[in-house]
């Protein structure tokens, strides 16, 4: 039997308007006028909220199995649900095994069983060992592939060199899947390390030490290489977590030349600035690093101008010990920021201050990431036929980020103490409420998410 949701502000692909959504068997079956609700039919309304499509985050490290003390399916997907994210794509590292062969992917699916609060797609790894036939893993139902061009920080997942990248792109290009690339090159990183010499423990507490070790040139040269390879092989490449704004003109030229290249950035690059990062606060460490204020504003400009189309979290947790939270040593700390629960709230507030409409920000975090991984029509938009995934957004809620209120496993965040305007107050996955914020706090339903297999024929 059909059920109905309605709001005075529903974010449809044509814009915001009052509407009533009819859902049946977990799908959207009709979009009706606001008043068009059959008498006596079950109706869900949350007064004062906007109704958005469930958000889609195509860059998440869950690290389970193998490193579930860093993060796990249960905790990561609770954080996602509380942040309005109903679909996420799990990266091929830092779990053990990493998702680089069929057996490892099967292992991943077993680890997620019964623990996922949201739907999860898998990104398979391109590594030297599987470069020639990486595309074969598409048969396992993965949505995308990922490789690194520089050291990954974990032993089980090696980076590819130029030759392996080309072989991998030819293989992945044949099946039409996107290849996500961590774009930093070893050469410029090595040169920076040489120039820097030994860093004393005291100097390592300064953020500048970390920033100096990861120069923009490492990103810019990597982006140039990926563009060349994409042109050579015809494969679709996607630059993950772009931080260096000086790579943007290269991306613009690739677009002009109709090369199949796209790029994403992350909430932390759009929110923080190197100049403001306190000494010893390793919660801010990630790679590539958060750069200067002026660089940040150019990333925003690229989003406004449509040069980048996705904002995703790169949710990447680690333990307190690995984060070196005690010593504050930026050079030794694990890099990674966890923001599944906060990403949308933070980015929409920052975006509003820079002239991006609410609708634009929602698209950057829902329909555009869905499109990247072949989920258009199923996830990320309120359209007939799509899964009934929604977030109810209260635009007037004001709150302060408290690390202990975050659901991810290790409560480390550079957003602690931040004032935020607007909050997800209820999330639905395939028609069922999976998260609700009420007077008793954050409430979650039993995990009902599952493996989101690539649909046959979808690239
Ligand atoms: Zn990542």
């Amino acid at each position: 039997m059909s059920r109905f949701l309605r709001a005075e502000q529903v974010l449809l692909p044509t814009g915001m308007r009052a509407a009533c959504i009819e859902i049946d068997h977990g799908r959207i079956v009709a979009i009706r006028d606001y008043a068009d609700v059959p008498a006596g039919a079950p109706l869900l309304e949350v007064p004062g909220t906007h109704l958005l499509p469930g958000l889609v985050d195509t860059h998440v490290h869950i690290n389970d199995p193998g490193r579930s003390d860093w993060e796990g399916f249960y905790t990561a997907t609770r954080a996602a649900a509380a942040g309005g994210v109903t679909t996420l794509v799990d990266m091929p590292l830092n779990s053990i095994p990493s998702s680089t062969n069929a057996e490892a992917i099967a292992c991943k699916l077993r680890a997620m069983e019964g623990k996922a609060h949201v739907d999860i797609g898998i990104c398979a790894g391109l590594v030297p060992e599987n470069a020639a036939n990486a595309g074969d893993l598409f048969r396992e139902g993965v949505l995308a592939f990922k490789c690194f061009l520089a050291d990954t920080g974990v032993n089980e997942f090696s980076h590819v060199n130029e030759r392996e990248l080309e072989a991998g792109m030819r293989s992945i290009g044949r099946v039409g899947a996107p290849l996500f690339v961590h774009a930093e090159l070893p050469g410029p990183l090595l040169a920076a390390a040489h120039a820097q010499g030994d860093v004393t423990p005291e100097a390592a507490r300064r953020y500048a030490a970390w920033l100096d070790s990861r120069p923009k040139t490492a990103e810019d040269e990597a982006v140039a290489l990926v563009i060349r390879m994409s042109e050579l092989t015809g494969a679709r490449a996607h630059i993950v977590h772009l931080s260096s704004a000086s790579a943007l003109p290269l991306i613009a030229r690739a677009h002009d030349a109709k090369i199949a290249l796209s790029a994403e950035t992350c909430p932390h690059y759009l929110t923080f600035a190197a100049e403001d990062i306190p000494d010893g606060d390793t919660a801010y460490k990630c790679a590539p690093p958060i750069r200067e204020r002026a660089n940040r504003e150019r990333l925003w400009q690229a989003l406004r101008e449509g040069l980048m189309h996705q904002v995703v979290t790169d949710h990447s947790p680690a333990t307190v010990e690995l984060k070196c939270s005690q010593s504050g040593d930026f050079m030794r700390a694990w890099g990674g920021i966890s923001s599944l629960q906060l990403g949308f709230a933070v980015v929409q507030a920052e975006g509003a201050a820079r002239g991006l409409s609410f609708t634009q920000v929602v698209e950057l975090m829902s329909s555009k990431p869905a499109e990247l991984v072949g989920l258009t029509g199923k996830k990320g938009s309120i359209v007939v036929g799509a899964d009934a995934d929604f977030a109810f957004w209260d635009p007037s809620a004001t709150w302060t980020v408290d690390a202990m209120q975050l659901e991810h496993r290790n409560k480390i965040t550079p957003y602690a103490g931040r004032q935020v305007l607007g909050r997800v107050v209820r999330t639905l996955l395939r028609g069922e409420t999976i998260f609700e914020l009420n007077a008793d706090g954050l409430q979650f339903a039993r995990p009902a998410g599952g493996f989101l297999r690539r649909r046959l024929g979808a690239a």
Side-chain angles (χ1 to χ4, degrees):
M1 192 180 100
S2 284
R3 289 181 298 138
F4 298 83
L5 310 177
R6 74 175 181 183
E8 285 175 14
Q9 302 283 348
V10 180
L11 208 156
L12 301 170
T14 48
M16 291 264 253
R17 69 169 171 92
C20 172
I21 312 296
E22 180 178 351
I23 60 180
D24 192 16
H25 286 91
R27 292 228 177 153
I28 299 170
V29 295
I31 295 165
R32 299 160 162 253
D33 286 340
Y34 181 78
D36 188 10
V37 185
L43 174 67
L44 174 63
E45 292 180 280
V46 184
T49 63
H50 297 350
L51 183 61
L52 318 179
L55 304 171
V56 178
D57 190 338
T58 50
H59 193 153
V60 178
H61 296 265
I62 294 184
N63 310 337
D64 193 2
R67 287 196 179 89
S68 51
D69 52 333
W70 296 16
E71 183 62 297
F73 281 104
Y74 189 80
T75 45
T77 59
R78 273 168 78 101
V85 174
T86 50
T87 302
L88 59 81
V89 179
D90 179 49
M91 291 297 107
L93 70 169
N94 307 304
S95 54
I96 307 172
S98 46
S99 306
T100 56
N101 57 56
E103 210 174 303
I105 291 167
C107 200
K108 181 69 93 172
L109 301 191
R110 282 197 296 279
M112 89 172 55
E113 230 171 81
K115 294 188 205 145
H117 291 80
V118 304
D119 283 348
I120 299 176
I122 302 284
C123 180
L126 162 64
V127 287
E129 297 80 13
N130 69 7
N133 51 9
D136 293 356
L137 287 175
F138 211 38
R139 276 193 234 118
E140 308 306 317
V142 304
L143 299 179
F145 291 82
K146 182 181 191 188
C147 71
F148 276 61
L149 302 182
D151 185 39
T152 65
V154 295
N155 291 330
E156 330 74 48
F157 196 99
S158 304
H159 67 279
V160 291
N161 62 26
E162 201 169 319
R163 194 172 41 78
E164 291 152 350
L165 176 65
E166 184 185 338
M169 284 181 84
R170 289 196 188 283
S171 173
I172 292 163
R174 277 195 288 277
V175 297
L179 174 64
F180 295 2
V181 185
H182 178 122
E184 286 182 292
L185 278 187
L189 296 180
L190 213 64
H194 277 303
Q196 207 167 23
D198 284 340
V199 181
T200 64
E202 201 179 299
R205 285 181 47 82
R206 287 177 41 242
Y207 182 71
W210 172 240
L211 184 59
D212 290 346
S213 74
R214 309 294 287 211
K216 288 178 181 175
T217 49
E219 283 192 75
D220 301 348
E221 289 177 26
V223 169
L225 169 65
V226 175
I227 291 171
R228 279 203 309 281
M229 285 296 168
S230 192
E231 190 172 21
L232 181 70
T233 62
R236 286 166 60 200
H238 177 74
I239 306 295
V240 293
H241 51 48
L242 186 81
S243 171
S244 168
S246 50
L248 292 166
L250 303 175
I251 294 170
R253 282 207 291 279
H255 286 181
D256 290 344
K258 307 275 184 253
I259 294 168
L261 182 98
S262 54
E264 70 189 28
T265 191
C266 308
H268 36 279
Y269 302 124
L270 296 168
T271 305
F272 303 119
E275 294 91 330
D276 305 328
I277 297 178
D279 286 352
D281 198 344
T282 56
Y284 290 87
K285 178 174 173 176
C286 56
I290 294 164
R291 302 190 187 280
E292 302 79 2
R293 202 171 290 128
N295 181 86
R296 176 184 71 192
E297 298 312 314
R298 287 174 66 198
L299 295 177
W300 276 110
Q301 191 185 344
L303 292 172
R304 264 196 310 267
E305 292 173 352
L307 196 51
M308 289 194 285
H309 294 110
Q310 290 86 14
V311 176
V312 295
T313 63
D314 189 15
H315 181 91
S316 187
T319 60
V320 175
E321 296 73 42
L322 281 168
K323 251 335 213 175
C324 298
S325 305
Q326 289 290 320
S327 68
D329 186 327
F330 273 105
M331 302 307 278
R332 298 170 75 95
W334 181 262
I337 293 176
S338 305
S339 60
L340 265 171
Q341 197 168 337
L342 304 170
F344 178 70
V346 167
V347 173
Q348 73 80 28
E350 295 288 313
R354 292 173 175 84
L356 267 86
S357 70
F358 184 73
T359 304
Q360 276 175 304
V361 174
V362 174
E363 283 173 357
L364 289 166
M365 302 185 78
S366 59
S367 58
K368 296 296 186 186
E371 187 182 337
L372 175 69
V373 293
L375 292 174
T376 296
K378 182 170 177 64
K379 298 289 190 184
S381 301
I382 300 179
V383 293
V384 171
D387 285 357
D389 298 351
F390 301 96
F392 283 96
W393 170 255
D394 179 350
S396 59
T398 51
W399 55 294
T400 304
V401 176
D402 171 359
M404 297 320 289
Q405 294 266 311
L406 298 178
E407 296 292 327
H408 66 269
R409 180 151 296 158
N410 290 284
K411 315 292 183 201
I412 304 168
T413 177
Y415 295 97
R418 198 177 177 85
Q419 302 277 330
V420 184
L421 172 63
R423 191 165 191 177
V424 172
V425 293
R426 190 164 179 150
T427 306
L428 277 73
L429 177 72
R430 287 180 267 108
E432 302 298 330
T433 294
I434 56 169
F435 160 75
E436 193 179 358
L437 174 66
N438 62 25
D440 295 325
L442 281 63
Q443 310 292 323
F444 296 88
R446 289 233 312 265
F451 174 42
L452 192 57
R453 178 178 284 276
R454 175 183 51 88
R455 289 174 300 159
L456 279 176

